C-alpha cells in the first residue's frame, strides 16, 4: 500500500518525469494528475513515452485531487503559490518544483521577480529542498520548495567550500550550460530544433533569477553575503547541466577533500577525480563534482554535473518527498544513468 | 536471493546495458563481468554512468565466471560461439546477444557470413530469442540467440501479416534507420561526432547480414520463403530503430487489427494509431507498431520503432532470461521510456 | 551591373537562403525583400547570420518591389499564386519556390490540395523548375515553379530509369528522410529541439503532397502513369534529404550507367560509386546519386542526396533564374559543400 | 592569374577548409596539396564534400610543392616547424595554422609544450596572425603563425579592454565551449558520436596550451602580465566557439563602446547588443562580440563567438595570406554565415 500522490502540472517535462519516477517507485502511486491546457487529455497523448497512458489529466484545482498524502507541483512561476497553499492548508504535504517558495523573505522574492509575493506569510515556512544540505529541515517539513536546476548544481559545488571558509565569498563566477528541457516544453521559435541544433548561446545575462536563489542558498553556509556572477548557456542537448564554478582560494587543505567530507553520507553526490560529463548523470539522481586548485592564480574551479530533469527537478522532488514521508531517502531513485 | 548471472562483453554498449538492467532487476544479480581489452579495468572506468562501479572486469574465459545460473554474451561476431558452447556444456543457461547462433542451419550461416560455422552441431539447438513470437521455445530452452536489432523491429512488424497470408512474401522492402549505438563502441573515424552529426547515410546496401536473418525468421510464419530488400541507414541519434516495412497487400481485413490480434498478450508490443517515434521507445523494452493500408497502390506500410539497445538487445536478452529462469517475463523491464 | 531581384518571403529558411545566394551572386542583387509578419523588421533581426543586415523587409505586395527583373517567391502554400500572377503580369520574371504552380492541370492541383486553384488559367504556363530535366523549358519561360525538396531528390533519381524503360512504373517505393528546415521556421511544439533531437519519425503517411508532384514529374519520362508509395521521415539534422528509391528492374544494362548518361552535361548532378551522404551535399547545389541492382530480387535501389535548402529550394531557384536571365547556369552556385 | 598556394595537411578539418576557401578565392589557386597518411589519395576520397576532387594529395615534403607563392600549413603540433622553416628559406611565404610559431620566445614555448623548440632562432620572426590586432606586422611579414581557435575568440574580446586599462589584468576567467571539429579528425573513442552527443564536458583543466598563448597575446596590449584561468568545454556541435570572458571592471566608460572603437575598421569583427550565438558565425569569417557590465559586482562579461574552422583557423589564415600577398584583406572570405 503506497502513499497516494498528486502531480499538478503533469503535462510538462518536469511533471512527466515526476510521473515516470512515481510509477517506478515502490512506495508511491499516482492518485491524481492535473494540467492546465491539457486537462481532459490522456497521459498517453501528452507523454507517449510513458506506460499506463490511459490515465486522464484533470484540472489544476487543489480540490480535484481528493485524498492524497502528498502533492508535487510542477507549475509555471506564479501558478504554484495558490495551489500549494490550498493543498497545504488541507493537510496535504507539498513539494513545489516551481520557484514560488524558494526565497525566505518577501523582499528577496520581489527583488528577483519584480512583483509582490501573493502569500508572503508562507515564505520562511517552506524548506529549501536540497536534501544533501537541508535534509533535516525537509524531513520535518510538510512544505518543501525544490531548488532550481542551476542552483542545485552550483550550490552543491560551492556550499561546503564556503562553509569551510576555503573560498572568498566575493567574486564567484558560475558559467553553466544546460540542455533544452530546462526551458520547458512550449512552442517557441527560438527553441526549435532548427534554432538550437549545432549552436551555443548565453542568455539571461546578469538577470537570471537563479542567481539570487544561489546566493541566498549559499549565504547560510558562508555566514556572510555571497556575490555570484552567473551566466547560463543553452547547448544542443536534451538533458544535463554542467556548472563551472570559479572562486578565489583562501587556502586550507584540498578542495576535493573538503567536498568529499561534506558529502560522505550523501548517496547522490559523488566527488570524482576527472571532469564530470553531464552524460554520466543523465537518467540518474546523482550530482558529480570535481575540484581543481590552480596554484598559479590562487583560484579553485569546481565542476558540477547533474541531469536537470532528475537531480535538478523531478528526482530531487521525489528525494524530498521520501524524506517528508519517512521513506528511505533514495527510494525509487537511480544512481545509475542511461548513457548510452 | 536472486539468480547469479555473468555478463561477457560488459564493456560495450549492449553489455553495459545488460549490467544496468541486471542491477535494477529484482531477481538477478551480477556475479561476473568479463571483457576483452578492458579486462582488469573497473566497471566505473568503462561505464562511468553506472553505479556500483567498483566491480572489476575479468577475462573472456568461460571458466572464470564460477558458479552462475545464466550468462549473457555480448561479444563480437565469431567470439561468442566458443564461449557459449563451453558455458552451455557446463550447465549454464546462455543468452547470446551476438549473431553466432541465430541461424538454424550451417548453410544459412555460411551464406550470410561467408565462413563455416565453428560449431555446426549447435545450430538448431538454440532458440531464436524473440519472445513475442517464439516464447514457448525460449522458455523451454537453455540456449537462446537473441535477434539482431533490425530483425527485431522488422520481424515483429511482418510476421503476423505473413502468417495471416495478408501480404505477399515477395517484394518486401524494409528501409530502416538506426542510431549510432547499433554500430558498437570502438574508435572509428566514420562514427566520430564530426562524421555523423547533421547527416544521414545508407550503408550495407544489399549485403547487410540482418537481411537473411529477417528472412529466415519470418519464413516460419509465411510457410514459404520470403524475399526482403533491406536497406539500413545511420542517423544522428544515440538510440532507436525505425523500420519502415512495405509489402503488397493480398486483402483480408485490416493490417492493424491483425497485428493487434497477434500481440494481444504481448506486454512489450503495442499497436498504435499514429506513426511511432523512436523517442517514445527509448529507455523502454517496447516495440511500437502502426500499419497503413494504401488502397490506391495495394500496398501496406508497417512502421516499427524500438530502442535498439533495449528491445533490440539488452532488454530482449533479459526478457529471454526471465523466461528461461521461470521468472515473470517482464521482471526488471520497463514499459515506460525516458524521453524527453 | 547585375540584375535586380526581389525576394518575397525573405524571413523564412528558404527565403533567407535565397538572399544569401543572391548576395554572393556575381550578376544578381537584391532590390526588394518582402515578408509577412516580419515586414518592417531589419534583415539582421530575422537572419542574424547574414551580412548586409541593415536592409529592411517590406510587405508582401507585388507593387512594392518596384522595377525588378526577377522575383523569387518563398511563400506558404496558397500565398504565392496571387503575388506570382500579379508580378508576371507586370512583366517580372518569377521563380516560385512554393507549391502553387507545380502541377500542370487544375485537376491535379485539386486532387493534391483539396481546393480549387485560384488561377487555373495559369497552370500549364509555368515551367517545372528542375533544370537537369526541364532546362530548355525553363530557359524559355518567364514563370518557373521550382520543385519541392523531396521531388527534386526522387525525380532526379527515377526519371532517367523510367525514360529508358529500365524500371517498372508500378510499385515504386520512395522512403526519404529530411532535416528539420524542410518543415519551415515557425514555432511548433512538435519541432522543438526537445521533440526532435535523438529521434526519428515518419509522417504524412500516404497523404504527403509531394507524392503526386513526383508522380506527375516522372510520368512525362515514363510515357505512362507512375505509381509511387512515398513515406517521408524527419531526422534530427538541420539540412539534407536522402531519398531511398526502390523499383523493379526490367533489365537493360546498368542503372548507374544510365544515370551517368542522363546527367553527363549536368554539373550539379553526380553519380558516385558509394552511398551518398547528405553531409556531402550540405552547402552545395549538388545532387549525389548512387544505384544498386539486386540480382537476387530483381530490384534496383537508387539513393539520392541533396541539401534541401539549396538544390531542394534556394539553389535550384537561383539555377532556374540563371537560365531565365540568360546567365551561366551555375553562376553564384557552389559545387563544394561545407561539411564537416 | 592567381597566386599559387600549397596546402600542407589538406586531409584534416582545417586543411580541407583552407582548400574550400582557396577554391572559392578570386586570386588564389591550389598548386599543391600535401598530407601525411592520406598521401596518394584523391582529394575526393578524403573530402567528399569538396568539388574538384580529382586532385591527388602528395607528401608532406617542402620540396614537393614546386614553385608556389605561399604555403598554408595545417599540421599537428611539432610537424609544421621543419616544413615551415624549409619553405620560408626557399622564399615561400608561409601561414602556419599550427602551434609551432605562436610564441615569441623559446622559454614561453617550452613552458607551454614541455619540450625545447626545434628552431628557437625562428621565434620572434613570425607574426601572430590576428589581423585585427596585428595587421601591419602580418602585412609586412613572410611568416605568420595563425592563432589558436580559443585565443582568437578570447584575445579579440579582451585586448581592447586591457589596452584601455578598463579591466584588471589579474583574475580574468575565460570559460569557452567548442564544437568537435576543434579536436581534429582522427578516430578517437572519446569523440565518437555515441560519446559526444547529448552531453557536455570540460577538459584540459588548468593545462590547456591555449591559455599561455592567450596570455602572451594580450600582454602586449595590457602593458603588463595578464593572468587568465581558462577552461574549455566540448559541446555536441560541429563548429563554433563561444568564449565567456570575465574581468573586474576598473571603470572608464562603456565596454561595448570601447570594443566598437577598437574594431571600427575591422570588417570581420562586429559588436552587437545581444548575446551572440555561434550559429550566427558558422560559415562566416566574423567574430561577434557583446559586452555586459555588472554594476552590482563590478564585473564585465564579454561574449565572443566565432566559427572555429573559419575565423578560428582557415578563414583567418586566408585573411593573413591576403595581407601578406597585398590582396584585399577580405578577398575570398564571407561575412554572411550559413545557419540555419
Amino acid at each position: 500500500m503506497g502513499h497516494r500522490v498528486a502531480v499538478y502540472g503533469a503535462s510538462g517535462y518536469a511533471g512527466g518525469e515526476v510521473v515516470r519516477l512515481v510509477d517506478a517507485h515502490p512506495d508511491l502511486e499516482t492518485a491524481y494528475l492535473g494540467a492546465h491546457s491539457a486537462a481532459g487529455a490522456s497521459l498517453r497523448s501528452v507523454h507517449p513515452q510513458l506506460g499506463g497512458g490511459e490515465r486522464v489529466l484533470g484540472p489544476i484545482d487543489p480540490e480535484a485531487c481528493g485524498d492524497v498524502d502528498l502533492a508535487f507541483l510542477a507549475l509555471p512561476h506564479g501558478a504554484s503559490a495558490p495551489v500549494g497553499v490550498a493543498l497545504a492548508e488541507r493537510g496535504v504535504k507539498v513539494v513545489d518544483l516551481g520557484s514560488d517558495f524558494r526565497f525566505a523573505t518577501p523582499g528577496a522574492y520581489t527583488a528577483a521577480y519584480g512583483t509582490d509575493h501573493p502569500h508572503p506569510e508562507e515564505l520562511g515556512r517552506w524548506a529549501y529542498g536540497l536534501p544533501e544540505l537541508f535534509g533535516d529541515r525537509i524531513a520535518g517539513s510538510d512544505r518543501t520548495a525544490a531548488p532550481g536546476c542551476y542552483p542545485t548544481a552550483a550550490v552543491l559545488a560551492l556550499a561546503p567550500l564556503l562553509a569551510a571558509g576555503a573560498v572568498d565569498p566575493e567574486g564567484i563566477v558560475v558559467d553553466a550550460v544546460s540542455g533544452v528541457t530546462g526551458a520547458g516544453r512550449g512552442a517557441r521559435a527560438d527553441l526549435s530544433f532548427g534554432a538550437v541544433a549545432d549552436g551555443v548561446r548565453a542568455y539571461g545575462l546578469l538577470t537570471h533569477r537563479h542567481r539570487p536563489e544561489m546566493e541566498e542558498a549559499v549565504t547560510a553556509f558562508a555566514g556572510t553575503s555571497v556575490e555570484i556572477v552567473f551566466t547560463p548557456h543553452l547547448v544542443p542537448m536534451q538533458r544535463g547541466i554542467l556548472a563551472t564554478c570559479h572562486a578565489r582560494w583562501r587556502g586550507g587543505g584540498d578542495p576535493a577533500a573538503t567536498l568529499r567530507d561534506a558529502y560522505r553520507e550523501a548517496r547522490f553526490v559523488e566527488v570524482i577525480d576527472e571532469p564530470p560529463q553531464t552524460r554520466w548523470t543523465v537518467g540518474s539522481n546523482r550530482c558529480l563534482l570535481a575540484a581543481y586548485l590552480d596554484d598559479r592564480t590562487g583560484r579553485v574551479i569546481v565542476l558540477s554535473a547533474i541531469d536537470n530533469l532528475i537531480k535538478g527537478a523531478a528526482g530531487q522532488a521525489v528525494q524530498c518527498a521520501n524524506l517528508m514521508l519517512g521513506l528511505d531517502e533514495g527510494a525509487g531513485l537511480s544512481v545509475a544513468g542511461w548513457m548510452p
Side-chain angles (χ1 to χ4, degrees), chain A:
Chain A
M1 292 314 307
H3 293 277
R4 292 164 53 83
V5 306
V7 183
Y8 283 92
S11 60
Y13 283 141
E17 198 72 352
V18 171
V19 174
R20 186 180 67 78
L21 292 175
V22 168
D23 283 352
H25 195 293
D27 304 309
L28 302 182
E29 60 177 293
T30 62
Y32 184 76
L33 306 178
H36 269 122
S37 59
S42 67
L43 181 63
R44 168 196 308 273
S45 68
V46 295
H47 291 299
Q49 80 280 9
L50 295 181
E54 304 313 321
R55 286 169 282 179
V56 173
L57 306 182
I60 302 295
D61 171 355
E63 301 300 320
C65 64
D67 184 27
V68 298
D69 300 305
L70 184 142
F72 294 99
L73 311 185
L75 297 170
H77 160 54
S80 55
V83 179
V85 171
L87 285 162
E89 289 177 352
R90 280 180 48 205
V92 176
K93 293 178 197 290
V94 180
V95 179
D96 181 15
L97 286 78
S99 56
D100 286 3
F101 297 108
R102 291 179 189 156
F103 289 101
T105 64
Y109 179 88
T110 300
Y113 285 89
T115 56
D116 289 341
H117 196 282
H119 290 276
E121 76 287 357
E122 285 282 319
L123 299 180
R125 294 185 58 181
W126 292 67
Y128 189 67
L130 197 46
E132 289 77 13
L133 297 174
F134 302 92
D136 290 345
R137 174 88 199 280
I138 298 163
S141 172
D142 54 4
R143 303 173 190 194
T144 295
C149 48
Y150 288 120
T152 295
V155 172
L156 288 172
L158 293 169
L161 299 177
L162 286 162
V167 298
D168 193 331
E170 189 272 334
I172 293 175
V173 168
V174 175
D175 283 327
V177 300
S178 174
V180 294
T181 51
R185 206 183 173 192
R188 285 171 49 184
D190 64 329
L191 296 181
S192 70
F193 186 90
V196 170
D198 239 34
V200 174
R201 72 188 77 159
Y203 67 98
L205 269 290
L206 306 178
T207 62
H208 198 283
R209 288 154 173 176
H210 282 181
R211 193 263 305 157
E213 183 186 331
M214 289 177 196
E215 289 179 342
E216 179 166 316
V218 296
T219 290
F221 296 88
T224 179
S225 70
V226 177
E227 220 173 59
I228 297 175
V229 176
F230 169 57
T231 309
H233 301 71
L234 182 72
V235 300
M237 62 185 187
Q238 305 256 9
R239 292 169 179 248
I241 282 180
L242 180 66
T244 301
C245 308
H246 301 266
R248 265 194 297 271
W249 186 244
R250 286 179 159 174
D254 170 64
T258 301
L259 292 169
R260 279 202 177 85
D261 282 350
Y263 297 118
R264 195 174 302 283
E265 306 298 321
R267 76 183 90 174
F268 293 119
V269 179
E270 189 175 353
V271 184
I272 62 176
D273 293 324
E274 59 185 323
Q277 302 191 11
T278 57
R279 296 163 47 87
W280 301 347
T281 69
V282 169
S284 157
N285 197 49
R286 283 199 298 179
C287 174
L288 295 178
L289 299 174
Y292 294 83
L293 182 57
D294 187 16
D295 289 330
R296 194 177 65 95
T297 61
R299 293 264 164 175
V300 64
I301 303 172
V302 186
L303 302 168
S304 177
I306 60 168
D307 180 328
N308 61 301
L309 287 182
I310 301 186
K311 185 59 180 168
Q316 186 143 269
V318 169
Q319 191 180 354
C320 292
N322 286 340
L323 292 173
M324 294 161 74
L325 294 168
L327 304 173
D328 177 77
E329 181 181 349
L333 296 170
S334 177
V335 164
W338 300 330
M339 283 279 181

